[in-house]
Each structure stands twice: as C-alpha cells, then as structure tokens.
Amino acid sequence: YIELTTAQAFSKSLRVLVKLSNDYLQLYLRNLKAESELELAQASESRSQTDLRRNTIMTSVVKKLDSEEDIVVIVKQIFREVENFLDIDNMNLMSLNLEEKTVSIISEVASEHQLSYSQQIQNMKISSFPFMTGQPFIVSSNTQLRPVFQEFAQKYQLMAFVTLPIEVNGQIIMYLNAWMNREKIWEIEAIRFLHDMKRIVQSIISKRISQNSLSSSFASLEAILKNIGCGIFVEDLQTKDILFRNEMYGHKISKELEARPLPLDETGHMKTAKFEEISIPSARRWFDMRYAEILWVDGKSVALCTAHEVTDKKIYQQKIEHSANSDFLTGLYNRMRCEEDLKIAIHESVVDQ
C-alpha cells in the first residue's frame, strides 16, 4: 500500500518524529541519571551509617580510658567492639616476657565457630613468630608471603592478619593482633580503625603499668586523643570549662563547636549518649556531634564530645536535592518543584486570609 503526501505534510511528519525522538532520548537520559544518583545516594547512606557506628564505638572505647576494671576485661570489651564492627575472626593481645624471650596471649576474643589460640600460645618462643620485629604487619589473603610467614600462617590456619606493636616507655612489650581464618582483603579504613584501637589500648596499658601522676596520665590521654581521627573536647558539667581539646579542625572551628549548648536534662546531666548534626554557616562545614557523660581523671563528671566532619556528605546531599528539583537540560526548577511551591503559596495565602 502506498500513500502519496505533499512535501509540506511530509516535512511536518518529520518534525513530529524528530520531536518524539528528542523527547524519548531526554527521558532516557533522565532515567539513567536518576538511576546513577540513586546508586550514589545509597552508597552515601551506607557510608554515613558506617561513620555513625564508628563514632559510636570510638566514644564507647574512649570512655574505657578511665575504667577501673581489670586490664584483661577492658581489652576484651574493646576487642569485642572491634570484632563485631570489622567482622574479624580473632582479636588477641600478646604479652612479651623479654627476660625469657617468650610470648603469651593474655586477652582474646574469637568469633563464633572460629579458632581460639589462648591456650595454644602460652610461653612460646618469640622467635617462632616472624612478625615480632617491632614493625606493624598487614597481610591480606592475596599477599605474597615469604616462606617463614607461609609456615606461620599454615600452622595457625591464617589467611590474613594484622599485627600492631604496643610500646610503653620506648619499649615494645605487647602485640595487638587481628587474625582471619577466612579470606580477607584489608581496607584502608579498617587499618586506620585498628590503629586507633591500638593507640587506646596502648594508652590504657601505659597508664596501668606506670601508675604515674595525674599530669602524666593526662599527657598520655592527650597524646592519644590528638591522633584519634576526629575532633574531641571535654567540658566540665559544673563550671562549663573546657578541660581538653585536640583542635582536630583548627582553633576557630573548635571554638564554634564548643560554643554549642550541651544536651543536658533537668538535673544537668546526660543519662544516655546524645547525637546531633550541627552546621557552621560561616565556614560552610557540617559535623556529626556525639555527647556522653564520663568521669574525668580527677573524678569529676564531664561531657565527652566527639565531632566527625560530614561536609562532603552534606554537599553531595545538596547536589542530589538540586538535581531532583531541577530540569536536566535547562537547570531550571522542574514541574514537581513548581507544583510543591505552588501548594505552599496557596496554603500560605489561605492562612493569611
């Protein structure tokens, strides 16, 4: 069947076809962009949840710096937090007997159905552990090992491990170990977290061993908190004085954070840990703040405040919100945003009348 048409009608049909094709292509590109932004948003949300959990664990662990419990109990509590957060098969603390040149596990946490080494590794020769060289060791399941390390890994059925030396008064006396009986590729964030935990354990052990004065205990605590990876300050609940700050984000930002009122109850205390997100408009920066009440080194009740910067996350959220409310090609507000603004304007006019 052949239908004849005029040049004008043919040209008009062609224009319609071109417009439909352009509309379809625009819709297709919008869908692709929306799918991509959704994936990025989900990834950002996952990272935010991980950061929040990390901050919560960090606050909980830092509180143990002033605990009077037995050192083995404290270390086990810390190891349990780390083991659950990083999904590690075995966390253990090895103590060195430098006179007899032996090593023993003094504290251990093993996940369910995984190997325990506390009974096996007691008074063993230091020379039987090739990683005890005074340096940190990070071995993933895809790492090429020297024969001596291969023998060690096979003996204890290890597929990956991290070993961090603990130093007190310039001498290495212990090793903190994270061992995996399953395949594991260590990520940078996990290694940083383990290093933070090692610093805290090292601080606790140093305090217990030295039993030094209040000033030296404070100096040890200060040295740890200055390298903890987030902003920290301690405020006296009675006098409102700042007892400690690590100025992680600079003096000006630290002052801005400290100026915020603490979330206290009617008794002037915090019965439970508090969390909030705050912004500093003058610097265009955002922070996740967590507050917890602890006992300071002199026995006073203080507020421990940790600040983790989330500026990059907030800027990305703003970009996502702008993309959701604007046209892909023109950059102008889209129909959905216009309808929302119109509803608000109508509602305000009705209220005013």
Side-chain angles (χ1 to χ4, degrees), residues 84-303:
N84 288 334
F85 180 58
L86 298 180
D87 189 25
I88 294 175
D89 293 339
N90 185 289
M91 292 287 302
N92 65 74
L93 184 66
M94 291 185 175
S95 177
L96 306 181
N97 186 326
L98 300 178
E99 293 182 359
E100 299 182 3
K101 296 184 178 180
T102 59
V103 59
S104 301
I105 290 181
I106 62 172
S107 184
E108 179 190 48
V109 169
S111 60
E112 190 176 3
H113 305 307
Q114 299 301 329
L115 296 177
S116 174
Y117 302 96
S118 58
Q119 295 183 354
Q120 183 180 359
I121 302 178
Q122 294 294 327
N123 299 317
M124 297 186 66
K125 292 295 182 181
I126 294 178
S127 57
S128 61
F129 296 91
F131 58 80
M132 290 188 174
T133 63
Q135 300 296 324
F137 268 87
I138 303 170
V139 176
S140 294
S141 53
N142 61 352
T143 302
Q144 296 296 322
L145 298 176
R146 300 199 305 269
V148 63
F149 283 95
Q150 290 179 359
E151 293 176 7
F152 165 76
Q154 290 173 0
K155 180 178 180 180
Y156 295 102
Q157 302 181 40
L158 300 179
M159 300 189 71
F161 59 88
V162 173
T163 295
L164 304 173
I166 292 178
E167 184 178 310
V168 175
N169 298 327
Q171 189 174 41
I172 295 173
I173 62 169
M174 295 182 185
Y175 282 86
L176 185 151
N177 302 306
W179 289 357
M180 293 295 299
N181 306 122
R182 300 167 292 162
E183 290 189 356
K184 178 78 170 182
I185 306 297
W186 298 104
E187 298 178 351
I188 294 177
E189 289 300 321
I191 299 301
R192 288 176 179 170
F193 188 76
L194 286 172
H195 270 283
D196 285 344
M197 293 300 105
K198 186 215 75 169
R199 293 190 186 104
I200 294 175
V201 171
Q202 182 171 279
S203 179
I204 294 172
I205 293 172
S206 178
K207 178 182 176 182
R208 293 300 179 90
I209 291 178
S210 62
Q211 293 295 314
N212 50 8
S213 64
L214 176 63
S215 58
S216 60
S217 295
F218 179 81
S220 178
L221 172 64
E222 183 178 28
I224 293 298
L225 296 182
K226 282 186 176 181
N227 295 279
I228 208 66
C230 62
I232 291 180
F233 66 93
V234 177
E235 180 175 330
D236 190 314
L237 292 179
Q238 299 297 324
T239 65
K240 308 303 179 184
D241 293 334
I242 302 299
L243 304 178
F244 172 82
R245 69 169 66 89
N246 66 358
E247 294 188 351
M248 173 73 179
Y249 303 113
H251 182 74
K252 184 177 180 180
I253 297 297
S254 297
K255 286 293 187 181
E256 289 271 3
L257 296 175
E258 294 162 12
R260 307 277 171 159
L262 296 175
L264 305 177
D265 59 21
E266 61 275 7
T267 65
H269 292 274
M270 284 181 285
K271 295 180 180 178
T272 58
K274 306 291 184 181
F275 171 82
E276 66 176 351
E277 181 182 276
I278 66 172
S279 65
I280 301 180
S282 60
R284 287 188 55 80
R285 296 171 75 175
W286 288 263
F287 296 86
D288 280 343
M289 296 290 298
R290 188 170 181 84
Y291 307 89
E293 183 174 338
I294 65 171
L295 292 177
W296 195 230
V297 290
D298 57 357
K300 293 190 297 186
S301 292
V302 299

